[in-house]
Amino acid sequence: HVQPVESGGGLVQAGGSLSLSCEASRDIPSINAMGWFRQSPGNQREFVASIFRGGTTTYADSVKGRFIISRDKDKNTVYLQMNSLKVEDTATYYCNEGGTYVSGTYVPNRRFWGQGTQVTVSS
């Protein structure tokens, strides 16, 4: 595939957990960085988390302490473990491949977006 592919979305109750996966289109060691974004109806796509080639991770303040981004180089897959989910975490989650790191911010690569996976958190 030429784009990253997400999986793992679904419906979960508030306080629960969900894990998302993103299979990269290339070998992870060749990718500078990968990130997760989310978008809910009527809102702009927003940054969630990123992981860089060296292993450094960054998180949005809204998910810090609840979400964990990780990777498995052998499977060319990046994961987003989401814990203590809140209703406001409901969104379509997108994986981005090959972004850059500018002044502490993950800047997505416009060419490499996944198709998105829906996460719905019920109260």
Side-chain angles (χ1 to χ4, degrees), residues 14-35:
S17 299
L18 206 60
S19 181
L20 305 182
S21 300
C22 172
E23 184 178 355
S25 66
R26 298 166 285 162
D27 290 341
I28 283 183
S30 71
I31 301 171
N32 181 53
M34 293 186 67

Side-chain angles (χ1 to χ4, degrees), residues 47-121:
F47 169 76
V48 175
S50 67
I51 185 165
F52 294 88
R53 183 183 287 138
T56 301
T57 58
T58 65
Y59 297 92
D61 287 343
S62 59
V63 306
K64 202 170 292 183
R66 299 189 296 122
F67 290 10
I68 301 171
I69 188 171
S70 62
R71 65 187 177 188
D72 184 329
K73 294 179 182 179
D74 292 335
K75 296 182 179 179
N76 281 337
T77 299
V78 171
Y79 303 95
L80 186 67
Q81 176 65 40
M82 304 184 294
N83 303 315
S84 302
L85 281 161
K86 304 176 181 179
V87 172
E88 51 263 42
D89 293 319
T90 296
T92 300
Y93 283 70
Y94 297 91
C95 179
N96 182 263
E97 179 182 316
T100 56
Y101 188 70
V102 179
S103 300
T105 301
Y106 179 89
V107 179
N109 185 319
R110 296 180 180 181
R111 293 177 55 196
F112 293 101
W113 287 102
Q115 81 287 353
T117 185
Q118 178 66 36
V119 172
T120 302
V121 184

